[in-house]
Amino acid sequence: MTRQEQPRTPYEPDLEEDWLAPEEEQVIEGDLSVRAVVVGLLVGVVLCMTNVYFGLQTGWVSMMSLQSALLGYAIFLVLPKLLPSVMSRPFTVQENVILQTTAVATGTMPLAAGLVGIIPALEMLDIKLDGRGPIRLTWTHLIAWCLAVAFFGVFLAVPLRRQVIIKEKLVFPSGTATAQLIALLHKAPPPAQALDPSRIGAYARIPRDSNEVTETRQVGPAGPGGTAEKQQVMGGSAWRMLGLSFAASGAMTFLSFLFPVLYAIPAFDILSIPFGTSLAASWMWWFTPSLSYVGQGIIMGFPVTVSMNIGMIVGWAFLSPLSKMMGWAPGPVSSTTNGARGWILWVALAIMIAESLISLLPSFFASLQRQISHFRQNKAPTRMFAAAHSSPRGSHDTATGDDYYEPMTGEPDEDAEHEPPHRLVPLSWVLWGLGASGVLGVGLVWYVFGDDGIKPWATAAGLILASGLAVVGVRALGETDINPVSGIGKISQLLFAILQPGNVVANLIAGGVAEAGAQQAGDLMQDLKTGHLLRASPRSQFYGQMIGSLASVFVSTAGYKFYTSVYQIPGPQFAVPSAGVWLNLARLLNNGHLPSHVIPFMALFAALFGLIALLKALRPRLNLEPSSPSSRAISHLPSGIAFAVGFLNSPSFSIARLIGGYIAYRSAKASGRGETPLLAIVVASGFVLGEGVLSIVSLGLTSAGYGAISCWGCGVGGGGYCSGGCS
């Protein structure tokens, strides 16, 4: 498609023959377009439903920023033929930033609203253990709950941008990687701020309620020649591979719906033949050849999947049989209350709390030190906020409505804000937004749960706690690509066990409120980093975040209600491991009961992974050479969160992820650069999205009364999908 020549505006790219031709300069105006927001919402709906599916199944969730940018760009490749009028002008880099920002805000609401953790945990309450029965929210109450936590984190992210992105120039690896990918797709110059090559690339997240583990890898070489090679990789063959991987994963998902044994193969039963038992039926050792989990493994990377599978072996091959045979967990192995699965969950919880809290300490002390430094430089809060409304101070004036930490002197500032005021979010919006969203949150939570659930003052305390912890979480995310929301949630639960003792419901709600704010602020800060590198308007991104969050309130509620109305949750197909973590800790803090003989194992593993987390946190301060044996040894220590996820998920999912991790390792080795090729990441994205989308089709068929064509093989000893689809 060609475009008629016309006079260029100062912000318009000089396009060649193709409507997606290379841009000579970055567009910095007109990025908030209706088409970018609408397509962002469409992509976000897909991501939202996908996150509900994977979150309920294994607790695995993802921002999917890279996938959003890929899908959005692919849609705009097709739109010129379908809607020529919509494509009268080119789809710009900045519009893609707004598109993926809107999509991420829409797709992450199931996580922020606790639909894969807090809400299922409330439905798992037991009157004997918790003093009250299950709480099942109606459609109206669930929408009200989502509205209560939908916007506070968005307003929290705005004032933090000036400090962590402009002043401190934190890396935010995933946000930077997304910026690089968008620039690559549009054949635009790469972002100005380069990353350490070892920290660039694709990312993935695993259990939101279990912290977030991220692995970053370079998606292409920097410098001259790198762009040309990347552009060649993202040619027609890459798009074909994305389509083929999507189709293959979707087909496998649909076949598993028709023949459930395909996702519950009792492959390990051959090892138990001499003992006359079934590892699948008795110990949950079946194999799920899910391409989506293979794709997750590719994105996560080999080190994370290895840590996960080490945890799987320790938890499911040693501790699970030990607890069962010793009579410490007398119930069925799959039971989360009195079975081995529930017993090892406590060990996983101890690991996650220990690593999360230890990992938080460096960022906490760094944040405290910086705040003390600001006050010592006469930057009291009143002066910080006054700077935002100061009169011009000369040629070096950089005070704007987003300028919360700007020096009051008229001296040049190398960290000056380059965005004009009309592209920034005014301070007054932030203050009014925080106040309004806080009042809205307190009021709606009280409306949903009443005084018996949580007191209004306690909800307000949770929001205040989220404000403080968000600073720590955002800085940790910017430095390490890990948002320690698990530690933040657990800190909240510990605090509210004191503020409202004996109230399991209040403990869960308060923890969820605090975690939601910190999680949203961190996720959206990644998007703001992407926008900063590609010169997208922060105000336009703010609009996209607000629109996406509002839309997702209704999409997330619908998705969750559809799944819970069709499937047993928790059940064979959707174990909801994150809900078990939240509920068990709340019960422990309020009732003090632990399974038999689990305390020594909790203490042992907590101490071990607390020490590992401490070594990793101190490594940058030890001034070790990266190639030294000590530094290499520390870098190869397993991730405690990934290790714990091996406990939370049944072996089938961890094994599939390990296959993907090994594919990433082999493809990186074959590339000759030690990095996973971008083509592999594209294929992995197709795998993940294929199962996520086709799961919606399966949901519709199940709700319409359709089921498996054949349950052949399930009686051999299958589990998981088998026992759910052929019950």
Side-chain angles (χ1 to χ4, degrees):
M1 178 179 178
T2 60
R3 177 172 172 268
Q4 294 181 350
E5 293 187 6
Q6 53 185 328
R8 293 177 59 203
T9 67
Y11 303 111
E12 183 179 2
D14 183 15
L15 296 173
E16 303 293 338
E17 293 184 354
D18 192 270
W19 73 282
L20 285 172
E23 299 176 51
E24 291 182 354
E25 61 184 62
Q26 291 185 338
V27 178
I28 62 172
E29 294 291 348
D31 45 14
L32 184 67
S33 63
V34 174
R35 62 183 186 177
V37 173
V38 170
V39 174
L41 288 173
L42 292 176
V43 172
V45 168
V46 174
L47 302 185
C48 181
M49 297 298 290
T50 300
N51 275 334
V52 171
Y53 172 77
F54 288 120
L56 292 175
Q57 193 170 79
T58 65
W60 184 91
V61 293
S62 173
M63 273 181 63
M64 294 193 181
S65 296
L66 294 173
Q67 289 86 344
S68 299
L70 274 172
L71 284 177
Y73 187 86
I75 290 173
F76 275 98
L77 284 175
V78 177
L79 277 180
K81 299 178 181 179
L82 301 178
L83 300 170
S85 60
V86 176
M87 299 309 302
S88 58
R89 60 186 179 87
F91 177 54
T92 66
V93 167
Q94 288 72 34
E95 282 184 296
N96 203 339
V97 172
I98 302 305
L99 185 154
Q100 70 90 26
T101 299
T102 305
V104 168
T106 307
T108 55
M109 184 55 63
L111 325 175
L115 299 182
V116 298
I118 305 298
I119 301 303
L122 292 172
E123 297 182 0
M124 295 163 59
L125 293 173
D126 185 287
I127 192 167
K128 294 182 179 179
L129 298 175
D130 309 307
R132 65 175 304 166
I135 299 177
R136 294 183 174 87
L137 302 183
T138 64
W139 278 79
T140 302
H141 283 165
L142 193 56
I143 288 174
W145 161 255
C146 290
L147 283 172
V149 297
F151 306 112
F152 191 76
V154 179
F155 287 103
L156 275 181
V158 175
L160 296 177
R161 171 189 173 274
R162 178 72 180 95
Q163 180 66 16
V164 299
I165 293 179
I166 306 302
K167 283 288 187 182
E168 298 179 33
K169 294 183 172 63
L170 297 187
V171 176
F172 289 97
S174 293
T176 304
T178 303
Q180 289 190 326
L181 177 65
I182 292 175
L184 163 64
L185 291 170
H186 290 262
K187 303 177 184 178
Q193 180 173 322
L195 276 176
D196 183 324
S198 65
R199 302 179 70 185
I200 302 173
Y203 66 96
R205 300 188 176 194
I206 39 186
R208 175 74 56 175
D209 282 33
S210 309
N211 204 350
E212 294 181 15
V213 178
T214 57
E215 281 293 311
T216 58
R217 293 175 296 280
Q218 187 175 357
V219 297
T227 301
E229 181 177 351
K230 289 179 181 179
Q231 290 173 356
Q232 183 178 8
V233 171
M234 282 308 298
S237 61
W239 294 113
R240 284 193 294 273
M241 291 304 296
L242 178 65
L244 289 173
S245 60
F246 181 95
S249 180
M252 187 66 183
T253 304
F254 188 66
L255 285 174
S256 71
F257 170 76
L258 300 178
F259 306 96
V261 74
L262 291 178
Y263 265 19
I265 300 174
F268 300 99
D269 278 0
I270 190 173
L271 302 176
S272 60
I273 290 177
F275 305 99
T277 186
S278 167
L279 284 176
S282 302
W283 300 101
M284 301 181 67
W285 275 86
W286 57 82
F287 176 56
T288 299
S290 165
L291 292 179
S292 68
Y293 286 97
V294 173
Q296 292 174 21
I298 295 173
I299 298 173
M300 290 174 184
F302 195 48
V304 171
T305 57
V306 168
S307 296
M308 193 179 300
N309 277 263
I310 294 174
M312 174 200 71
I313 292 172
V314 173
W316 291 92
F318 291 98
L319 295 183
S320 174
L322 177 66
S323 64
K324 177 72 172 179
M325 294 176 180
M326 296 297 293
W328 303 335
V333 171
S334 61
S335 173
T336 57
T337 54
N338 63 347
R341 184 170 199 162
W343 194 91
I344 65 174
L345 186 149
W346 285 102
V347 182
L349 179 60
I351 295 171
M352 289 186 291
I353 292 176
E355 176 164 290
S356 298
L357 295 181
I358 295 297
S359 299
L360 274 173
L361 292 179
S363 294
F364 173 78
F365 287 119
S367 299
L368 183 62
Q369 185 178 14
R370 287 183 178 93
Q371 295 304 318
I372 293 174
S373 176
H374 281 305
F375 277 93
R376 286 178 176 175
Q377 295 174 17
N378 295 321
K379 290 183 179 180
T382 54
R383 292 178 63 84
M384 294 180 201
F385 288 106
H389 300 284
S390 300
S391 59
R393 298 189 299 268
S395 59
H396 298 295
D397 172 48
T398 55
T400 68
D402 188 36
D403 202 0
Y404 305 112
Y405 291 93
E406 189 66 30
M408 293 299 293
T409 67
E411 300 176 358
D413 184 4
E414 63 179 3
D415 298 327
E417 172 66 80
H418 299 292
E419 294 286 357
H422 73 277
R423 286 165 54 88
L424 297 170
V425 180
L427 174 63
S428 59
W429 293 16
V430 176
L431 297 178
W432 280 104
L434 286 173
S437 60
V439 172
L440 178 70
V442 172
L444 288 177
V445 169
W446 179 81
Y447 164 72
V448 173
F449 297 102
D451 285 335
D452 293 338
I454 184 172
K455 303 293 184 181
W457 64 262
T459 304
L463 292 172
I464 295 172
L465 184 63
S467 303
L469 294 177
V471 178
V472 179
V474 164
R475 179 161 284 114
L477 185 66
E479 295 172 350
T480 68
D481 216 27
I482 299 174
N483 193 347
V485 290
S486 175
I488 289 172
K490 303 306 175 283
I491 290 173
S492 304
Q493 286 188 277
L494 291 170
L495 176 62
F496 281 92
I498 300 172
L499 295 179
Q500 282 201 263
N503 192 331
V504 173
V505 175
N507 193 276
L508 291 171
I509 297 170
V513 167
E515 187 190 56
Q519 174 253 305
Q520 266 191 313
D523 283 354
L524 301 182
M525 197 62 68
Q526 294 275 24
D527 295 332
L528 290 174
K529 178 68 174 185
T530 301
H532 173 69
L533 293 175
L534 296 176
R535 298 305 304 276
S537 164
R539 186 180 294 194
S540 295
Q541 287 190 273
F542 172 77
Y543 289 144
Q545 291 166 351
M546 293 293 287
I547 293 170
S549 297
L550 178 60
S552 192
V553 166
F554 303 97
V555 177
S556 301
T557 297
Y560 180 77
K561 280 296 185 180
F562 285 152
Y563 274 102
T564 54
S565 65
V566 174
Y567 297 100
Q568 176 188 347
I569 296 178
Q573 290 178 264
F574 298 98
V576 203
S578 296
V581 172
W582 279 96
L583 183 56
N584 278 8
L585 180 58
R587 285 171 172 169
L588 173 63
L589 294 174
N590 288 279
N591 300 319
H593 299 298
L594 283 170
S596 176
H597 292 81
V598 77
I599 294 179
F601 292 91
M602 292 175 66
L604 174 64
F605 281 93
L608 174 62
F609 283 95
L611 177 60
I612 291 175
L614 184 62
L615 288 173
K616 290 183 176 182
L618 293 178
R619 185 175 63 159
R621 296 168 174 79
L622 297 178
N623 296 322
L624 298 174
E625 291 292 334
S627 58
S628 67
S630 298
S631 179
R632 291 174 61 87
I634 294 175
S635 66
H636 284 89
L637 291 173
S639 160
I641 299 301
F643 185 90
V645 170
F647 283 49
L648 296 177
N649 295 160
S650 60
S652 56
F653 300 114
S654 298
I655 295 170
R657 285 168 173 158
L658 181 62
I659 294 172
Y662 183 71
I663 292 173
Y665 168 76
R666 294 298 301 175
S667 59
K669 192 171 183 179
S671 71
R673 300 190 303 268
E675 59 205 31
T676 305
L678 182 59
L679 185 61
I681 301 299
V682 170
V683 171
S685 298
F687 284 159
V688 173
L689 293 171
E691 180 165 334
V693 172
L694 265 293
S695 67
I696 303 173
V697 176
S698 300
L699 173 65
L701 291 173
T702 303
S703 63
Y706 295 96
I709 291 178
S710 173
C711 290
W712 177 87
C714 288
V716 176
Y721 284 82
C722 240
S723 57
C726 292
S727 56

